[in-house]
């Protein structure tokens, strides 16, 4: 079955721009778009300078990916554009990623990328091409509500759902976007790629943080923000010094391993990071319990309501909570909530909105 791209009128006169990363998901989207009979254009963003892009492996929109996207477009007989967004990606995503770590926060660069180069710059370019929509390979669903407005829903396959990273999508953007893979499991997508003879059918998925393909984010941050590698002290909540650390960049809220402060009466976790004082504050697990958090940059896609289900990490289950004037209050204390992460609100499968956590308020727990 060919997914409905929700285009009205003569389909042959409609134009679909497909955001192509060079992976199997976006390649299948291009294939499905071409089968509709509409005019299809593939667009790939070059997010690194040419020399670095060619050398990268396991990254999104790197040298091999650009070649793979072009190869798919050639097979489908559709035009392919490559846009040099290296400077915009560096300033809007990579630099902000480093800045967040320098402030002791835990950033989510995928959300920044979607809210910037993908759903702002690329969407604008698509309109310049006269497109009727921009289609991507995200595993989310676009559902038309009873009021006729587009809504954003979780991908039907919970293992692949990417809605958490798309909370910043505005209503205007959602009206123009299409997500034809939202109802499909990954194995079905690979099957479609094999049936279409696409060379990328068995290509591995890219890393979550595409510009840190080896997972060593600390090295990248230290290179961009050397102050994060300054040594400091590991202290308890009351200020007692327990040891030294090699730089705040190596720590995140909730971390237990790698502290190297043995001999304690109970396990200790990172509960706060103070870059200015160069201190990593540790405490027992109960000190990680959060009652509420302050949220900024709220994007809202639904009707007014206070009771929501909230996700504070991409792999965490949504939990009952109440929206406040400044953020969200959890029905029960939550653990591992950190500034820099996203608070994303749902009602069942429907994404209501979300924003960035800038501060947390501790819960009072005797035992945890």
């Amino acid at each position: 079955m060919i997914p409905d791209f929700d285009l009205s009128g003569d389909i042959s006169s409609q134009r679909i721009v497909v955001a192509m990363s060079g992976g199997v998901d976006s390649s299948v989207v291009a294939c499905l778009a071409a089968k509709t009979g509409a005019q299809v254009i593939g667009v790939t963003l070059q997010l690194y300078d040419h020399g670095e892009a060619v050398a990268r492996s396991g990254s999104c929109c790197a040298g091999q990916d650009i070649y793979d996207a072009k190869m798919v477009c050639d097979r489908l007989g559709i035009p392919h554009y490559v846009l040099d967004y290296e400077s915009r990606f560096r300033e809007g995503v990579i630099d902000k990623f480093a800045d967040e770590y320098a402030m002791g926060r835990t950033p989510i660069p995928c959300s920044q990328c979607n809210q910037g180069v993908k759903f702002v710059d690329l969407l604008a370019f698509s309109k310049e091409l006269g497109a009727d929509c921009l289609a991507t390979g995200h595993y989310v669903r676009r559902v038309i509500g009873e009021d006729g407005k587009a809504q954003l829903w979780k991908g039907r396959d919970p293992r692949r759902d990417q809605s958490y990273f798309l909370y910043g999508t505005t209503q205007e953007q959602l009206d123009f976007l299409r997500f034809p893979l939202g109802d499909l499991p990954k194995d079905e997508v690979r099957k479609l790629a094999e049936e279409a003879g696409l060379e990328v059918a068995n290509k591995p998925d890219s890393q979550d943080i595409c510009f840190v393909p080896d997972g060593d984010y600390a090295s990248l941050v230290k290179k961009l923000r050397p102050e994060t590698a300054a040594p400091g002290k590991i202290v308890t909540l009351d200020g007692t010094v327990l040891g030294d650390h090699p730089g705040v960049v190596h720590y995140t809220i909730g971390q237990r391993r790698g502290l190297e402060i043995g001999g304690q009466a109970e396990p200790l976790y990172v509960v706060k990071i103070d870059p200015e004082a160069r201190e990593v504050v540790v405490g027992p697990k109960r000190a990680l319990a959060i009652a509420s958090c302050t949220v900024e940059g709220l994007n809202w896609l639904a009707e007014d309501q206070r009771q929501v289900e909230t996700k504070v990490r991409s792999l965490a289950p949504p939990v009952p909570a109440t929206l406040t004037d400044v953020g969200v209050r959890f029905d029960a204390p939550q653990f591992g909530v950190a500034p820099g992460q996203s608070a994303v609100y749902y009602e069942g499968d429907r994404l209501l909105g979300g924003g960035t956590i800038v501060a947390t308020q501790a819960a009072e727990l005797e035992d945890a």
Side-chain angles (χ1 to χ4, degrees):
M1 185 181 78
I2 300 177
D4 184 5
F5 281 78
D6 190 22
L7 298 174
S8 58
D10 178 12
I11 193 67
S12 64
S13 66
Q14 304 295 301
R15 179 169 293 173
I16 302 172
V17 168
V18 179
M20 300 189 66
S21 67
V24 62
D25 297 327
S26 57
S27 296
V28 168
V29 169
C31 185
L32 294 173
K35 288 182 178 180
T36 66
Q39 303 170 31
V40 181
I41 300 173
V43 178
T44 301
L45 305 182
Q46 180 177 313
L47 302 181
Y48 313 95
D49 64 57
H50 181 70
E52 184 180 6
V54 170
R56 280 182 178 267
S57 176
S59 299
C60 170
C61 305
Q64 182 63 43
D65 299 303
I66 295 172
Y67 173 80
D68 289 343
K70 182 181 186 306
M71 185 168 55
V72 169
C73 287
D74 288 346
R75 173 176 284 275
L76 297 176
I78 63 176
H80 178 240
Y81 290 86
V82 178
L83 305 182
D84 183 359
Y85 277 21
E86 184 268 333
S87 61
R88 301 186 197 187
F89 184 71
R90 184 183 65 250
E91 296 169 3
V93 180
I94 298 178
D95 284 349
K96 286 186 177 180
F97 177 83
D99 287 340
E100 287 287 286
Y101 268 106
M103 291 187 290
R105 297 179 177 179
T106 306
I108 303 178
C110 294
S111 296
Q112 291 292 334
C113 184
N114 289 325
Q115 293 175 40
V117 294
K118 288 185 179 176
F119 286 178
V120 175
D121 297 328
L122 180 53
L123 192 146
F125 179 75
S126 300
K127 290 185 176 181
E128 290 177 6
L129 291 177
D132 294 278
C133 68
L134 169 64
T136 81
H138 288 100
Y139 286 85
V140 293
R141 287 177 287 165
R142 180 179 177 274
V143 177
I144 303 301
E146 294 181 357
D147 59 359
K149 295 174 61 176
Q151 301 174 359
L152 191 59
W153 285 45
K154 295 177 183 177
R156 194 173 297 280
D157 183 349
R159 299 169 300 174
R160 302 298 305 179
D161 170 50
Q162 294 173 300
S163 61
Y164 179 82
F165 303 106
L166 300 183
Y167 75 85
T169 306
T170 66
Q171 187 65 56
E172 181 180 2
Q173 292 167 348
L174 190 55
D175 290 341
F176 192 73
L177 290 164
R178 301 293 186 272
F179 308 108
L181 303 187
D183 283 308
L184 302 177
K186 182 74 175 198
D187 55 357
E188 179 65 22
V189 172
R190 290 199 182 277
K191 181 180 179 182
L192 290 172
E194 291 175 354
E195 292 174 350
L198 303 182
E199 292 83 349
V200 297
N202 295 309
K203 184 176 180 178
D205 293 334
S206 60
Q207 301 294 320
D208 285 343
I209 302 181
C210 62
F211 54 89
V212 193
D214 59 0
D216 187 8
Y217 72 87
S219 293
L220 172 68
V221 175
K222 285 190 290 186
K223 179 180 178 181
L224 297 176
R225 303 293 181 268
E227 67 273 17
T228 63
K233 300 297 182 182
I234 297 177
V235 303
T236 62
L237 291 165
D238 62 8
T240 301
V241 177
L242 297 181
D244 300 309
H245 68 74
V248 296
V249 68
H250 298 284
Y251 302 90
T252 56
I253 301 298
Q255 179 176 335
R256 177 184 174 187
R257 297 182 181 277
L259 298 180
E260 298 183 358
I261 48 172
Q264 305 303 312
E266 60 182 324
L268 296 178
Y269 302 77
V270 176
V271 297
K272 181 182 178 182
I273 299 172
D274 188 339
E276 292 186 5
R278 293 188 296 180
E279 289 183 343
V280 174
V281 183
V282 297
K285 184 177 180 180
R286 59 182 175 274
L288 286 171
I290 299 300
S292 61
C293 55
T294 304
V295 179
E296 292 185 353
L298 178 67
N299 179 61
W300 194 251
L301 289 170
E303 305 75 27
D304 291 337
Q305 63 187 88
R306 290 286 181 174
Q307 300 305 124
V308 298
E309 296 172 291
T310 302
K311 291 185 69 168
V312 292
R313 296 184 306 281
S314 62
L315 298 179
V319 297
T322 303
L323 296 182
T324 67
D325 292 339
V326 296
V328 64
R329 182 176 65 253
F330 304 108
D331 287 9
Q334 298 300 304
F335 294 83
V337 185
Q341 295 175 320
S342 301
V344 181
Y345 310 127
Y346 295 87
E347 182 179 50
D349 282 348
R350 183 184 178 187
L351 187 147
L352 306 175
T356 301
I357 299 170
V358 296
T360 58
Q361 294 77 47
E364 301 269 338
L365 289 185
E366 294 182 1
D367 297 295

